[in-house]
Amino acid sequence: LSDSHKHKDKYKEKEHKHKDHRKDKEREKSKHGSRYGSSSEKKHRDKEKERMKHKDGSTDKHKEKKKEKMRSLDGKVKKEKENGFASPQHVKSEPEDNFYYSPKYEKSLKRQRDDDDETQFLFPFQDIKSKKTKNKKGEVLDGKKKAKKEPEEKWKWWEEERYTDGVKWKFLEHKGPVFAPPYEPLPSHVKFYYDGKPMKLSLEAEEVATFFAKMLDHEYTTKDIFRKNFFKDWRKEMTAEEKSKITDLTKCDFTEMSEYFKAQSEARKAMTKEDKQKIKEENERTLQQYGFCIMDNHRERIANFRIEPPGLFRGRGDHPKMGMLKRRIRPEDIIVNCSKDSKHPEPPPGTRWKEVRHDNKVTWLVSWTENIQGSIKYIMLNPSSRIKGEKDWQKYETARRLKKCVDHIRNQYREDWKSKEMRIRQRAVALYFIDKLALRAGNEKEEGETADTVGCCSLRVEHISLYPEKDGQEYVVEFDFLGKDSIRYYNKVPVEKRVFKNLQLFMENKELDDDLFDRLNTSILNKHLQELMDGLTAKVFRTYNASITLQQQLKELTNVEENIPAKILSYNRANRAVAILCNHQRAPPKTFEKSMQNLQSKIDAKRDQLADAKRELKSAKADAKVRKDEKSKKAVETKKKAVQRVEEQLMKLEVQATDREENKQIALGTSKLNYLDPRISVAWCKKWGIPVEKIYNKTQREKFAWAIDMADQDFEF
DNA sequence: AATTGTACTTAGGACATAATTG
DNA sequence: CAATTATGTCCTAAGTACAATT
């Protein structure tokens, strides 16, 4: 842990040196700008290693079958009828009654499911043992009976059949996105100054100026790239006149605007209860209206139904595009996706959509192209939705299948370390890292378009150091690189001799900024993995290792004797082990030191209190010994209880303190939400009688409803 | 095989809200 | 009850993966 502290700033400097060097080189290389720079170039270097290489013909062509086919082999639910929706595809009721649920349709679904007794909970793709399915059914049916009017009745999508043919839905209706509110011009007394003189800006230029003004307090408005990008884009919004006048950003004075916005946000905070309530209600109305869609007879929550407002782009880390103007999205930019036979969303009066399409092979409702990277953004459903939940469940099932063959795969890559083909050795070493260290795959990235970050396959020579011996350990590899979101990965790991020797070989005659694995990329790696197991990709290892670590840590750490808070601490520790494995970091909270001190003084106070209580107990005992009457005996009992109570409180505080200290820069949320099979946690809760609310908050319980309903205490990942 | 395009998951931080404390 | 602190939600960037195209 102590090694993996964030030293972002310190590190950046170091990175910088290499990077500039690298940039120059790359610029030279890829004049004809391809997406990833030129990857063929890197191949020429290892002529010496040509002796290692041999023929290239080992790609198993016969394995090229479509996944669907493979799946239907072991999947048992292949005889299914679509999704089981024999009924009309959409709910006819009008949206304003908020009643999209139709018990009638449910019944027919249930029936169908019941026919398919043995397999109802199986993924068609894989062979899960479904032992715990039976007992559930009774409850389910009971629930339905009394459901009648209740549209809020929880729909257990996980008890239904799934689409298998790439179809994501049969019916989809929604109201379209909510656009960002239009720009509100500044009141005339709020002025912008250029070169000390007030200057009235055009609406367009003013809006962009306010974006900058709002960020004035941020450190990055002082950064060169940020300022440069901003100024360039700002000038594009200016009138010819403004453009000729405003030529130097340092002469721009936004402070009045900035003050104005600060005052505004103060005013917002100081609003009366009633006004706040009004706003809340208004929000709730928009949520009800735009925050849901109907997908296949069910009303489902949309994740991000608001279009991203315009502003200045701030990427993470050292992003070359920071400060650029993220433009306002208009209806004309929007592609709407919905059923042909649904009530199509209306564009705002006087506008039109870019396109309305009916593609049920995708899950998104709305999309648009963003102007910074030119990538597509989507509006999709909430994690609690069927469409996300199924996928999530499936993800964990894939990881569980990996569990069954991981030994074989490990043996295989260990063998491959000895291969006479360089590309195979590289593949094997990379896979070893991905498996052992839970590294990300590491796709190629567009040079100069994004921050310089890497994953396993894109590691460069500069990112590792080899130590034949270090701190009493042999063959130590030191990793030091920026990963996703420019989070630093720093780790020293002893590796097996063969791995070490291979790394030395891979690094021979290379520059610092050359790829470590020059004969490997994610697509090669994944193709290989696909051959080892259906559905296997690099990221499955992260899921697998995270989940198996949680399960194993929980086993190890949970102490039968301990009370609930202590058990929860154990859970958090297990969770933390995973977060450390996956390198899920966070910036230490700004108030961390202070709040830690506060907690410590509370603990001290509690200690004093405990001492007092003990003293009182002692004297009460003495008293009782002398007097021997009922009253004094009772007093002893009360004192005893008091001591116990205070002891418990102290314990709780201490637990809290350790927990917090250990969590200083570790973020538990990401692994909990994305990597840990929720059934492990649910099973653990059930086993130890811990309310699941202690582990998952409301949102999380909604997302993991399937697991909470499905897993019993014997669940094994 | 390289390149480009698309869809979807994973990620940390800002901000809002709720809970706790003095 | 106000102030502080913890927790939860929102936001959207940044990854992975794979399909389509050249």
Side-chain angles (χ1 to χ4, degrees):
Chain A
L1 224 184
S2 55
D3 275 343
S4 62
H5 285 181
K6 261 188 188 171
H7 307 297
K8 274 195 192 167
D9 292 332
K10 214 172 88 191
Y11 185 74
K12 253 175 230 157
E13 282 173 34
K14 182 189 156 190
E15 269 296 302
H16 230 226
K17 267 191 290 178
H18 296 325
K19 217 175 99 184
D20 291 338
H21 174 203
R22 178 168 185 249
K23 281 262 177 65
D24 294 341
K25 250 193 146 168
E26 288 296 333
R27 222 172 291 132
E28 226 175 276
K29 275 190 202 168
S30 55
K31 290 206 179 90
H32 22 267
S34 71
R35 179 151 142 201
Y36 309 126
S38 52
S39 47
S40 49
E41 318 264 323
K42 70 184 177 190
K43 306 264 148 99
H44 78 287
R45 276 182 236 107
D46 13 47
K47 272 168 236 144
E48 311 86 345
K49 287 153 223 154
E50 213 61 25
R51 63 192 147 90
M52 307 276 313
K53 217 179 96 181
H54 223 93
K55 41 136 203 224
D56 217 303
S58 55
T59 348
D60 289 5
K61 282 271 147 56
H62 63 274
K63 271 283 190 168
E64 274 303 322
K65 271 166 231 154
K66 278 278 90 153
K67 258 172 283 165
E68 311 300 328
K69 255 185 210 159
M70 307 287 290
R71 282 169 177 166
S72 62
L73 290 180
D74 56 344
K76 284 159 199 155
V77 197
K78 56 185 172 212
K79 50 187 167 183
E80 76 193 284
K81 315 112 191 171
E82 312 289 335
N83 194 31
F85 288 102
S87 341
Q89 287 313 320
H90 61 284
V91 183
K92 285 289 186 194
S93 60
E94 275 305 300
E96 59 260 33
D97 62 12
N98 282 342
F99 191 83
Y100 299 128
Y101 177 83
S102 173
K104 191 167 63 199
Y105 302 156
E106 277 303 295
K107 287 253 172 60
S108 68
L109 281 173
K110 289 289 178 246
R111 175 109 340 100
Q112 211 154 31
R113 213 194 69 240
D114 290 353
D115 296 341
D116 209 0
D117 206 345
E118 286 316 308
T119 54
Q120 55 179 314
F121 287 177
L122 297 187
F123 265 99
F125 331 117
Q126 41 226 28
D127 44 344
I128 324 158
K129 274 157 268 148
S130 74
K131 35 194 172 183
K132 22 225 70 143
T133 57
K134 301 276 162 65
N135 46 356
K136 288 278 142 71
K137 216 182 302 167
E139 307 163 20
V140 168
L141 292 175
D142 288 347
K144 289 296 168 199
K145 257 174 236 157
K146 68 183 172 198
K148 267 213 241 167
K149 288 225 158 57
E150 273 295 312
E152 312 310 334
E153 165 75 5
K154 301 279 188 314
W155 170 41
K156 300 191 176 183
W157 51 258
W158 51 93
E159 295 182 352
E160 293 182 15
E161 292 172 2
R162 287 159 296 271
Y163 295 111
T164 47
D165 43 4
V167 166
K168 303 294 169 61
W169 46 263
K170 291 270 145 116
F171 179 79
L172 172 61
E173 180 170 293
H174 59 90
K175 296 279 243 171
V178 174
F179 287 93
Y183 176 63
E184 270 184 49
L186 292 169
S188 54
H189 69 272
V190 181
K191 294 200 170 61
F192 164 74
Y193 297 87
Y194 187 72
D195 213 3
K197 289 181 274 290
M199 178 174 174
K200 176 76 187 157
L201 296 171
S202 66
L203 213 62
E204 290 75 18
E206 183 185 280
E207 179 176 14
V208 180
T210 63
F211 298 153
F212 194 82
K214 283 177 185 167
M215 298 177 136
L216 232 43
D217 286 341
H218 268 108
E219 181 239 351
Y220 46 72
T221 51
T222 64
K223 292 197 171 177
D224 251 20
I225 313 174
F226 189 96
R227 297 174 67 89
K228 207 184 106 241
N229 287 334
F230 160 71
F231 197 56
K232 189 173 160 212
D233 281 3
W234 187 28
R235 282 176 58 81
K236 287 185 205 154
E237 301 300 311
M238 293 177 186
T239 62
E241 202 187 335
E242 287 164 339
K243 226 185 226 167
S244 67
K245 212 164 165 192
I246 303 174
T247 52
D248 182 359
L249 182 56
T250 53
K251 290 184 179 159
C252 295
D253 179 358
F254 303 95
T255 44
E256 218 167 85
M257 291 161 68
S258 172
E259 294 304 322
Y260 170 71
F261 292 123
K262 271 182 214 159
Q264 291 263 296
S265 93
E266 284 311 308
R268 220 172 309 123
K269 267 184 225 154
M271 268 188 317
T272 62
K273 275 233 167 72
E274 294 75 55
D275 287 347
K276 279 185 181 166
Q277 187 59 29
K278 274 231 178 76
I279 292 179
K280 211 173 162 187
E281 279 164 18
E282 181 57 39
N283 281 154
E284 180 60 24
R285 257 199 303 282
T286 2
L287 173 67
Q288 288 305 324
Q289 195 171 154
Y290 291 95
F292 293 84
C293 72
I294 310 164
M295 185 176 275
D296 292 350
N297 299 329
H298 295 276
R299 186 168 182 258
E300 301 233 61
R301 182 83 188 271
I302 298 169
N304 55 326
F305 56 90
R306 282 172 215 278
I307 299 279
E308 298 172 16
L312 301 184
F313 176 81
R314 173 55 171 127
R316 321 257 166 89
D318 233 333
H319 198 115
K321 298 196 170 181
M322 65 167 85
M324 282 176 61
L325 174 64
K326 190 166 115 169
R327 67 166 224 293
R328 180 179 291 274
I329 304 301
R330 307 152 305 158
E332 290 75 12
D333 302 315
I334 296 292
I335 302 175
V336 166
N337 193 31
C338 62
S339 300
K340 214 172 270 179
D341 60 343
S342 74
K343 197 166 149 243
H344 296 15
E346 290 291 337
T351 67
R352 43 189 305 141
W353 302 123
K354 180 180 183 183
E355 184 191 337
V356 176
R357 68 171 74 153
H358 312 291
D359 182 355
N360 72 351
K361 297 280 209 284
V362 297
T363 67
W364 53 269
L365 320 187
V366 165
S367 76
W368 71 92
T369 301
E370 153 268 354
N371 68 303
I372 303 289
Q373 320 275 357
S375 65
I376 308 171
K377 301 260 186 165
Y378 303 94
I379 290 182
M380 291 182 186
L381 296 196
N382 202 62
S384 62
S385 62
R386 181 214 102 219
I387 209 152
K388 294 292 182 188
E390 277 182 1
K391 200 78 186 298
D392 206 37
W393 179 15
Q394 189 189 145
K395 172 181 76 186
Y396 292 113
E397 289 310 323
T398 309
R400 292 175 83 196
R401 283 191 293 123
L402 172 56
K403 185 189 180 187
K404 291 181 194 151
C405 59
V406 74
D407 288 336
H408 167 247
I409 290 174
R410 284 172 178 162
N411 289 335
Q412 157 116 224
Y413 68 60
R414 297 168 61 86
E415 277 304 305
D416 287 348
W417 293 340
K418 297 182 266 183
S419 169
K420 50 188 187 299
E421 281 186 84
M422 190 61 122
R423 54 177 196 98
I424 294 191
R425 287 200 189 195
Q426 292 195 352
R427 196 179 68 193
V429 171
L431 185 50
Y432 170 71
F433 286 162
I434 284 171
D435 182 21
K436 184 184 170 81
L437 305 173
L439 299 189
R440 294 189 185 83
N443 283 321
E444 290 103 307
K445 305 192 0 171
E446 240 170 323
E447 185 77 19
E449 298 289 300
T450 58
D452 177 25
T453 63
V454 298
C456 186
C457 293
S458 51
L459 279 169
R460 299 193 296 267
V461 171
E462 62 191 298
H463 296 131
I464 66 168
S465 317
L466 303 182
Y467 301 96
E469 213 206 297
K470 183 156 183 145
D471 309 326
Q473 289 174 309
E474 280 191 312
Y475 308 121
V476 174
V477 183
E478 183 185 55
F479 292 83
D480 195 347
F481 61 89
L482 297 183
K484 180 175 180 181
D485 293 326
S486 292
I487 296 293
R488 186 188 186 196
Y489 184 92
Y490 180 81
N491 202 0
K492 275 180 276 193
V493 271
V495 301
E496 301 191 35
K497 183 173 176 184
R498 270 222 169 78
V499 171
F500 196 85
K501 294 289 172 197
N502 270 317
L503 288 170
Q504 285 179 326
L505 190 62
F506 303 160
M507 291 165 79
E508 248 171 50
N509 300 315
K510 280 190 192 169
E511 305 283 332
L512 278 177
D513 57 349
D514 286 333
D515 287 339
L516 177 63
F517 303 115
D518 53 297
R519 285 156 193 274
L520 185 69
N521 60 38
T522 52
S523 116
I524 296 172
L525 179 63
N526 281 336
K527 213 167 269 165
H528 171 65
L529 292 175
Q530 179 60 42
E531 283 162 13
L532 295 175
M533 185 192 103
D534 179 36
L536 186 61
T537 61
K539 82 196 265 282
V540 178
F541 281 88
R542 249 167 103 80
T543 311
Y544 162 72
N545 279 121
S547 285
I548 202 76
T549 301
L550 178 76
Q551 184 168 78
Q552 172 258 324
Q553 287 286 302
L554 281 178
K555 248 178 219 159
E556 206 170 302
L557 265 30
T558 311
N559 184 345
V560 200
E561 328 259 288
E562 285 177 335
N563 58 13
I564 293 191
K567 286 210 179 81
I568 291 172
L569 174 65
S570 299
Y571 180 89
N572 286 338
R573 285 200 161 133
N575 191 163
R576 190 147 45 235
V578 175
I580 289 169
L581 175 72
C582 295
N583 200 231
H584 290 142
Q585 298 192 3
R586 62 165 186 180
K590 284 182 200 75
T591 55
F592 185 85
E593 287 309 325
K594 207 176 77 187
S595 83
M596 211 59 211
Q597 272 169 11
N598 285 168
L599 191 56
Q600 193 52 50
S601 51
K602 261 203 249 169
I603 289 176
D604 293 343
K606 215 25 112 186
R607 285 229 173 87
D608 293 348
Q609 196 188 337
L610 181 64
D612 287 349
K614 277 184 174 162
R615 210 172 307 122
E616 279 182 42
L617 173 61
K618 215 171 183 181
S619 74
K621 268 183 180 162
D623 197 38
K625 219 170 190 177
V626 181
R627 311 233 303 240
K628 301 203 163 163
D629 61 345
E630 273 309 302
K631 204 176 156 196
S632 56
K633 266 189 198 160
K634 255 206 185 118
V636 173
E637 282 311 303
T638 359
K639 296 292 177 197
K640 243 186 204 161
K641 285 230 175 81
V643 169
Q644 237 168 40
R645 203 177 51 232
V646 177
E647 255 172 356
E648 219 157 90
Q649 287 168 344
L650 178 63
M651 234 273 285
K652 222 170 159 176
L653 283 176
E654 280 172 334
V655 161
Q656 204 187 338
T658 8
D659 206 34
R660 199 188 299 175
E661 181 65 49
E662 290 173 359
N663 247 0
K664 184 173 177 181
Q665 38 192 191
I666 310 282
L668 300 186
T670 305
S671 47
K672 200 187 233 184
L673 232 52
N674 299 303
Y675 287 102
L676 301 175
D677 187 331
R679 289 168 298 183
I680 299 170
S681 301
V682 171
W684 180 84
C685 283
K686 288 185 177 162
K687 181 162 180 188
W688 302 108
I690 313 255
V692 74
E693 296 79 35
K694 300 276 183 191
I695 299 298
Y696 292 134
N697 68 29
K698 188 160 147 280
T699 324
Q700 294 168 157
R701 291 199 298 278
E702 278 166 14
K703 169 168 180 175
F704 297 135
W706 58 275
I708 293 170
D709 182 57
M710 183 162 21
D712 64 26
Q713 59 163 286
D714 300 322
F715 174 82
E716 273 267 343
F717 176 79

